[in-house]
Amino acid sequence: MPGLWRTDDKPAKRLRAILFQGIALPITLNPLPAPHAFPSAFNPSTDRGHFMFSHLDPVFLARLQFSVTVGYHILFPAFTIGLASWLAVVEWRWLKTGNPVYEEIYKFWVRIFAIAFGVGVVTGVVLSYQFGTNWSVFSDKAGNIVGPLLGYEVITAFFLEAAFIGIMLFGWNRVSRRMHFTATVIVAAGTLLSAFWILAVSSWMQTPAGFFEGADGILYPTDWMAIIFTPSFPYRFIHMVTAAYLTTGFVIAGVGGYYLWEKKHLDHGRIMFKMALILIAVTAPLQLLFGDLHGLNTFQYQPLKVAAMEGLWNTEKGAALRLFAWPDEIEEKNHFEIKVPKLSSLILTHSLDGEVKGMKSWARADRPPVGMVFWSFRIMVGIGLLMIATGLSAIWLHLRGKLFSTGWFHLWCIMMTPTGFAAVITGWIVTEVGRQPFVISGILRTSETISPVSATAVGTSLAAFSIIYTFLLVITIGYVLREIAKGPTPAGPDVQPAVPEYFSETETIHPTGGENA
């Protein structure tokens, strides 16, 4: 293998590029490591004890470690953001109708929410520490801006969630119904607020504004409103939140479809299925619109990323849309292209003859890993189109009165259950890998922000994180599948504490939990 990294022949270079594009994960923090990071000789006798990692580039390993940890972590917020809001709607429906099925559905899904939320917190804590352990130069130079934003997320969102999630999880029959509902709404708002601050940080790194760079190389804030509300932030925030809602919608639709397919928990399955598909039918087409607006914003502020997404090497007027291609970074061209003439220009410039810059307009050293961005974008868009088709099919079946009796559609929704997670992961790959080789676009290169750590130290912690995170993911999935197999349980006697007078002047709470307004 060492000979592969030293050789200059084209096949070896291609293989090297493919290998690195294949093993990177979302939010990869640097483009391909330099060949000099791989020495020409390796002596096991002198490198005993750390031979697995000592011949690798610490920057590459640090990037891969951050990618692995954030790749696992993002699965949980992407689910809990939408699930918290959906639980608030379910509890509102129970309060409004008094139907015990809604109560049973809430108690079923809140158990799943609890484990997902807990694992999300645990996996998220590690990310903050990595800024200090692996990326201390980044923390030093950008800490004046990134630090306060992450602090706001903890002070506002995390503390808000922590204060009320106990009531949400354990307050049933211990607080009034309205207090419990209020706690659910606050936790849902907290998840959205958390997404707000995290995406503010990420958006500032994509389209930095509101700061100046001092003579010491440190970035200093000058306008916090400009820092928070960067040009890309509104589009990225709404796009991500909608993706979270779709992720939740397809999980719930899959579970509801499973119950209908298996003909058990039918009352619960029908409500889950219908509510989830209403969410999907509304948000999936909206996500296409939000994605288009986000793409136009990216075309304006990060045209190189768009060129990589489109697989466009040369600047073209009337640029074609590449449906399929195999980008070749060595020869700077695509193989096996299938394209639609002028469609890319029409989408990006709203003109059939609009000009779209190709990647050759930028130096090689400034380009992201093209193949990874190109294919991730197509997977994300393909999943989005399947989601829209699912929503349209649900509307068609509902109008025919066959939504709950069409077996193939129930099976289809079961198969679509994990697609939201796949779309989120590939979307983050496009966003974060697409801005490489910069950790802060146009300001700070990722290779300049690594801590003075050895490859052995980073590689060892990478292996440990990979094992532990995989274990956590397997345990979490196993727990969720067990809960799904068990299904909702009948609600027992629901004795609620008295509601203070200032909540309602007409509500009477009966010993059995019934309400008369």
Side-chain angles (χ1 to χ4, degrees):
M1 284 296 290
L4 171 64
W5 306 113
R6 297 197 313 273
T7 184
D8 292 327
D9 64 289
K10 289 184 178 180
K13 284 184 176 180
R14 266 193 213 99
L15 178 58
R16 185 169 65 205
I18 292 170
L19 285 172
F20 274 108
Q21 291 178 16
I23 61 179
L25 284 168
I27 310 191
T28 309
L29 286 171
N30 201 36
L32 309 183
H36 70 262
F38 301 85
S40 58
F42 172 64
N43 187 348
S45 64
T46 59
D47 293 320
R48 185 176 297 135
H50 59 275
F51 64 91
M52 291 179 62
F53 305 110
S54 61
H55 63 297
L56 294 176
D57 181 8
V59 177
F60 167 71
L61 289 173
R63 290 169 47 215
L64 187 58
Q65 184 183 110
F66 199 85
S67 302
V68 168
T69 52
V70 81
Y72 277 98
H73 169 69
I74 197 175
L75 298 174
F76 299 101
F79 178 51
T80 55
I81 288 171
L83 185 56
S85 297
W86 188 76
L87 284 170
V89 174
V90 171
E91 188 168 8
W92 170 75
R93 289 292 299 160
W94 174 65
L95 292 173
K96 185 176 179 62
T97 65
N99 186 347
V101 176
Y102 286 107
E103 177 188 357
E104 294 161 8
I105 290 174
Y106 180 96
K107 291 181 177 179
F108 167 74
W109 280 105
V110 83
R111 295 196 297 270
I112 295 175
F113 174 83
I115 185 68
F117 184 87
V119 176
V121 170
V122 170
T123 55
V125 168
V126 175
L127 299 176
S128 300
Y129 285 107
Q130 286 182 19
F131 285 119
T133 57
N134 295 350
W135 305 102
S136 59
V137 179
F138 169 78
S139 299
D140 180 47
K141 293 188 175 182
N144 290 331
I145 297 171
V146 174
L149 294 179
L150 293 177
Y152 297 151
E153 190 266 339
V154 173
I155 293 172
T156 60
F158 186 74
F159 283 4
L160 189 67
E161 294 165 336
F164 286 91
I165 194 169
I167 299 175
M168 179 181 175
L169 299 181
F170 308 111
W172 209 273
N173 296 336
R174 292 179 173 87
V175 298
S176 69
R177 294 179 175 183
R178 294 194 177 188
M179 183 66 245
H180 190 277
F181 175 63
T182 300
T184 303
V185 171
I186 290 175
V187 170
T191 63
L192 293 172
L193 193 57
S194 179
F196 176 93
W197 290 115
I198 297 301
L199 286 166
V201 174
S202 181
S203 299
W204 179 80
M205 294 166 66
Q206 298 283 340
T207 52
F211 71 99
F212 77 94
E213 183 174 359
D216 53 2
I218 306 297
L219 306 182
Y220 295 93
T222 58
D223 185 344
W224 281 107
M225 293 302 292
I227 289 171
I228 296 170
F229 298 99
T230 62
S232 65
F233 171 75
Y235 304 96
R236 287 166 50 77
F237 177 72
I238 191 65
H239 193 55
M240 182 62 201
V241 170
T242 306
Y245 284 161
L246 282 170
T247 299
T248 300
F250 274 95
V251 172
I252 295 169
V255 174
Y258 167 73
Y259 290 147
L260 294 176
W261 175 266
E262 291 289 330
K263 294 181 172 55
K264 62 180 184 179
H265 307 297
L266 292 178
D267 291 338
H268 308 83
R270 290 189 188 99
I271 290 177
M272 292 181 199
F273 200 58
K274 186 173 182 178
M275 288 182 68
L277 287 170
I278 290 173
L279 176 65
I280 291 167
V282 173
T283 55
L286 286 176
Q287 184 69 319
L288 181 64
L289 172 62
F290 298 148
D292 178 63
L293 294 174
H294 185 20
L296 295 176
N297 178 266
T298 305
F299 180 63
Q300 179 180 356
Y301 291 97
Q302 296 176 291
L304 176 55
K305 181 191 291 189
V306 172
M309 291 159 58
E310 296 295 323
L312 191 63
W313 295 97
N314 299 299
T315 300
E316 296 180 8
K317 291 185 176 180
L321 177 66
R322 276 79 180 167
L323 299 176
F324 178 91
W326 190 265
D328 187 332
E329 296 188 50
I330 306 301
E331 297 187 5
E332 297 182 306
K333 67 178 185 181
N334 296 327
H335 302 287
F336 317 114
E337 279 191 349
I338 299 176
K339 55 187 181 181
V340 179
K342 298 183 180 294
L343 186 55
S344 184
S345 287
L346 180 62
I347 294 172
L348 293 170
T349 69
H350 295 171
S351 171
L352 290 173
D353 298 316
E355 181 177 279
V356 182
K357 282 189 175 182
M359 285 176 285
K360 290 183 181 179
S361 301
W362 290 269
R364 282 178 180 263
D366 294 337
R367 300 174 194 165
V370 180
M372 195 174 190
V373 176
F374 179 86
W375 279 108
S376 297
F377 178 69
R378 272 143 191 78
I379 293 172
M380 178 187 67
V381 173
I383 292 173
L385 294 177
L386 290 177
M387 289 177 170
I388 293 174
T390 302
L392 294 176
S393 299
I395 294 172
W396 179 68
L397 290 171
H398 173 71
L399 293 176
R400 297 184 63 196
K402 296 184 177 180
L403 183 62
F404 301 131
S405 60
T406 304
W408 67 263
F409 187 65
H410 303 157
L411 183 60
W412 170 257
C413 288
I414 296 172
M415 294 171 60
M416 286 288 290
T417 300
T419 54
F421 297 104
V424 167
I425 290 291
T426 51
W428 272 90
I429 291 175
V430 172
T431 298
E432 304 300 338
V433 177
R435 67 168 152 82
Q436 297 302 322
F438 295 94
V439 65
I440 302 175
S441 296
I443 304 298
L444 189 62
R445 288 181 178 269
T446 309
S447 58
E448 301 170 349
T449 62
I450 185 71
S451 300
V453 291
S454 67
T456 300
V458 181
T460 302
S461 58
L462 167 62
F465 281 134
S466 299
I467 294 170
I468 294 170
Y469 276 42
T470 301
F471 176 76
L472 280 174
L473 184 63
V474 170
I475 292 298
T476 303
I477 292 175
Y479 171 84
V480 171
L481 291 178
R482 188 187 69 179
E483 288 295 319
I484 292 171
K486 187 183 352 179
T489 55
D494 186 21
V495 181
Q496 295 286 340
V499 180
E501 293 182 359
Y502 56 80
F503 276 122
S504 173
E505 296 181 359
T506 58
E507 184 180 59
T508 302
I509 305 298
H510 293 273
T512 60
E515 290 183 9
N516 285 332

